[in-house]
Amino acid sequence: MKFFLDTANVDEIRQALDWGLCDGVTTNPSLIAKEGRDMKEAVLEICDLVGPERPVSAEVVATDYEGILKEAYERAAWAENIVVKIPLIAEGIKAMNKVTSEGIRVNATLIFSLPQALLAAKAGASYLSPFVGRHDDVGWDGMELVEQTATMLDAYDYFDAEIIVASVRGAWHVVQGCMMGAHIATVPFGTLGKLFNHPLTDQGLDKFLADYAKLQEELKG
Ligand code: E4P
């Protein structure tokens, strides 16, 4: 399973790269706004930081077909690792069909149902992003949608899409996504850190080190 970082913060990305835990980055307009930066400037810095082999999602903010197309072409030209994020609305599907046929990679975002995931796959999206946390927030089961999407992709092997578990709220979403065969989890920085923390690891390590230090004292004496 690949880990993308769901952030527009370059310090977080730098740290995740240092840990070897960043296979790509997803941004969205809210994450860009949180950094208070111009989208193009922030995304270009991220692309440069992660290198050309790691995909970086940059989202369109237009909602009409012509506007989405215009922004998709602009963003795709920013850097070679850009993936254009397009929302799952009718105009978005229409734009996805057009730009994917021209070789632009698309991350279909704001997916909340299997029909939406199916339409995005049919429109040639490279990535399908079911928003599991927001799904759970309103009392549905976000992971059920991931499971259904995985089943759909297995059934039709001519779809060339990967599932991104998005809107991750904690390690549990990553674990479940992994068990369901999702290809990628895009995780907030705070969740990434929690993936390798465990109190029993800390307790175990303390004990190993204490026992070994005691042995050194005994050997000296
Ligand atoms: C995914 O690509 C989105 O940027 C993201 O996962 C949204 O998550 P949120 O529901 O925490 O805003």
Side-chain angles (χ1 to χ4, degrees), residues 6 26-28 31 85 109 129 131 134 166-169 186:
D6 198 27
T26 52
T27 67
N28 66 40
L31 292 170
K85 229 175 171 186
T109 192
S129 289
F131 272 41
R134 295 191 194 191
S167 186
V168 163
R169 298 281 188 260
T186 189

Side-chain angles (χ1 to χ4, degrees), residues 34 41 79 86 117 128 133 151 164 166-167 184 197-198:
K34 195 171 155 200
E41 180 207 75
I86 300 181
L128 310 178
T151 303
I164 302 181
S167 186
I184 301 153
N197 284 336
H198 199 289

Side-chain angles (χ1 to χ4, degrees), residues 19-74:
W19 285 330
L21 292 176
C22 178
D23 301 306
V25 175
T26 52
T27 67
N28 66 40
S30 301
L31 292 170
I32 296 282
K34 195 171 155 200
E35 298 306 310
R37 299 182 64 184
D38 172 72
M39 185 189 290
K40 183 176 178 182
E41 180 207 75
V43 168
L44 279 179
E45 188 178 350
I46 293 168
C47 288
D48 192 46
L49 190 59
V50 302
E53 71 286 355
R54 293 185 177 87
V56 175
S57 291
E59 190 158 341
V60 299
V61 290
T63 54
D64 64 296
Y65 176 66
E66 294 299 337
I68 294 172
L69 271 192
K70 179 173 172 289
E71 291 183 5
Y73 291 134
E74 281 168 6

Side-chain angles (χ1 to χ4, degrees), residues 210-220:
D211 287 347
Y212 194 69
K214 195 170 156 224
L215 171 69
Q216 302 309 304
E217 287 307 313
E218 286 167 5
L219 292 178
K220 265 193 238 161

